[in-house]
Amino acid sequence: MSTFTPVSTLGEFGLIGRIRALIEGDAPPEDLIMGIGDDAAVYRVSDTMAHVVTTDALIEAVHFDRAFAPMSHLGWKAISVNASDVVAMNADPKWATVTLGIPRNMSVEMVDSLYEGMDRASKAYDMQIVGGDTTTAHALYISVTVVGEAPLSQLVFRRGAEVGDMVCVSGDVGGAYAGLKVLLDQRQALNDLGDAYEPELDGLRYVISRQLQPKARLDVVRALRKARVKPTAMIDISDGVGSEIHHIAAASQVGATIRVPALPFDAETRAVADQFMEDVDAWALFGGEDYELLFTVRPDDVPRVDAIGGISVVGTIEEATKGVRSYSPETGLIPLSSAGYQHSFGDGGAA
């Protein structure tokens, strides 16, 4: 009798590791610089240049609910989350292809709106959609592949952090999870009240936009280049600060400490956390989908990072023997969980 092991027993990252072990050979092709194991794959196209390739999917009832996700917003998000992976390699996104699975209850006008959002995002990142595929599906399925480019000397990976480096975060964190909480709460109100439902969104529009229309931080890497700062390691915050710092620590074979009081929050995110009586720090560490950048720099680069603005120093890289830890005055130094957003392989229902 054949063995049946539910995919859910591995989790997303366990499954990725298993796939990596199955398909990677002993001797990778000479031009392959990075395969599975970073935000994007990288291969050499000349003596000085590389292409950076990533793909990601958004699936109805797993990643979004059409009742609260306008088609144009979905289009924007589908492009942005892929562009963010390319940006995290310190590369510039250039080209995109889109595979669209269309359910029977989707109209031509809805497809128009979806692609209008994609086109708007592509223009924001100086990209171009150049092709793709369409097919019938039981639920709306959007898969985007983005190809970017960068000089070989400019590329940044997860694996370059060194002891003594400072850990930085762009923008603010926790806002996307706050937006998700609001949308789920509004969906429940709609289910409970039916025709009597009236949206209550005053003071919530920023966090909702963080969930529905995240931005790839191409502006941040361009500002770092202008300031002549090359991060030693970098990753985008798709699964939460806690998960991402673990990825950098594992790839770089180092430890790290995150100073929780230094995590940057928008006032609206804090207000939503208070409304739900939940810990805003946990939203930043484990909520995910902020698509900000978490990166490390050498200590002597910190003044130039500070001069850019909108970037917070939130921790330090330490010896691997110390592990990955968090610090707050209330808890002191404690181990930091690697838990973050992971796909539930069929148990979803996110907004």
Side-chain angles (χ1 to χ4, degrees), residues 104-125:
R104 294 185 180 276
N105 62 351
M106 191 165 172
S107 68
V108 171
E109 290 77 15
M110 294 167 75
V111 174
D112 286 347
S113 183
L114 181 71
Y115 273 86
E116 285 166 3
M118 289 185 190
D119 185 60
R120 190 161 45 86
S122 297
K123 286 181 170 63
Y125 307 128

Side-chain angles (χ1 to χ4, degrees), residues 6-341:
V7 173
S8 58
T9 62
L10 294 179
E12 180 183 7
F13 301 120
L15 180 63
I16 291 171
R18 187 180 179 92
I19 292 170
R20 181 178 184 178
L22 285 170
I23 67 174
E24 287 191 344
D26 294 332
E30 182 179 347
D31 289 333
L32 180 63
I33 298 171
M34 172 59 67
I36 297 173
D38 214 303
D39 283 275
V42 182
Y43 58 89
R44 190 189 320 268
V45 294
S46 73
D47 290 341
T48 60
M49 295 294 294
H51 279 177
V52 177
V53 185
T54 188
T55 190
D56 209 346
L58 297 178
I59 302 172
E60 186 174 2
V62 176
H63 302 102
F64 63 88
D65 182 341
R66 273 197 276 161
F68 283 94
M71 287 294 105
S72 62
H73 290 44
L74 272 177
W76 173 282
K77 187 170 185 176
I79 293 294
S80 291
V81 300
N82 282 277
S84 183
D85 281 336
V86 171
V87 167
M89 309 299 291
N90 204 22
D92 291 272
K94 289 294 184 181
W95 316 106
T97 61
V98 179
T99 295
L100 189 63
I102 306 172
R104 294 185 180 276
N105 62 351
M106 191 165 172
S107 68
V108 171
E109 290 77 15
M110 294 167 75
V111 174
D112 286 347
S113 183
L114 181 71
Y115 273 86
E116 285 166 3
M118 289 185 190
D119 185 60
R120 190 161 45 86
S122 297
K123 286 181 170 63
Y125 307 128
D126 300 323
M127 293 169 51
Q128 178 69 49
I129 297 172
V130 293
D133 189 24
T134 57
T135 185
T136 300
H138 296 296
L140 179 56
Y141 174 92
I142 311 164
S143 179
V144 176
T145 297
V146 169
V147 179
E149 64 180 17
L152 291 168
S153 60
Q154 181 179 291
L155 291 165
V156 175
F157 303 91
R158 299 177 183 180
R159 65 192 179 202
E162 297 181 352
V163 174
D165 286 350
M166 308 304 290
V167 181
C168 303
V169 169
S170 68
D172 58 86
V173 287
Y177 190 77
L180 177 61
K181 293 285 288 188
V182 168
L183 291 171
L184 291 175
D185 187 60
Q186 291 294 307
R187 182 173 68 180
Q188 186 60 52
L190 174 62
N191 291 338
D192 292 343
L193 299 175
D195 292 341
Y197 166 75
E198 293 185 9
E200 297 178 5
L201 303 178
D202 290 343
L204 301 171
R205 299 192 182 279
Y206 176 73
V207 296
I208 291 172
S209 71
R210 293 285 282 167
Q211 170 58 220
L212 296 181
Q213 288 189 289
K215 293 180 174 64
R217 297 309 307 267
L218 182 59
D219 60 321
V220 171
V221 295
R222 285 175 171 173
L224 289 169
R225 293 173 205 160
K226 186 175 181 180
R228 298 185 179 179
V229 174
K230 181 183 178 183
T232 55
M234 188 154 57
I235 190 170
D236 75 337
I237 304 176
S238 56
D239 301 312
V241 170
S243 177
E244 313 308 355
I245 191 61
H246 269 274
H247 286 314
I248 283 182
S252 301
Q253 298 183 326
V254 295
T257 294
I258 297 296
R259 292 186 291 108
V260 175
L263 292 171
F265 296 99
D266 186 84
E268 194 170 293
T269 302
R270 289 187 180 277
V272 173
D274 291 343
Q275 174 187 332
F276 284 94
M277 294 184 289
E278 294 190 16
D279 181 4
V280 73
D281 295 332
W283 289 7
L285 292 170
F286 311 119
E289 291 202 290
D290 287 310
Y291 297 102
E292 295 292 345
L293 295 172
L294 186 149
F295 59 95
T296 57
V297 296
R298 294 181 177 85
D300 56 3
D301 280 332
V302 170
R304 282 180 285 177
V305 171
D306 287 340
I308 293 171
I311 298 173
S312 303
V313 177
V314 301
T316 54
I317 297 297
E318 300 170 341
E319 295 81 3
T321 54
K322 293 184 179 180
V324 178
R325 305 178 292 178
S326 65
Y327 169 81
S328 71
E330 295 78 19
T331 66
L333 279 169
I334 58 173
L336 177 59
S337 170
S338 62
Y341 177 80

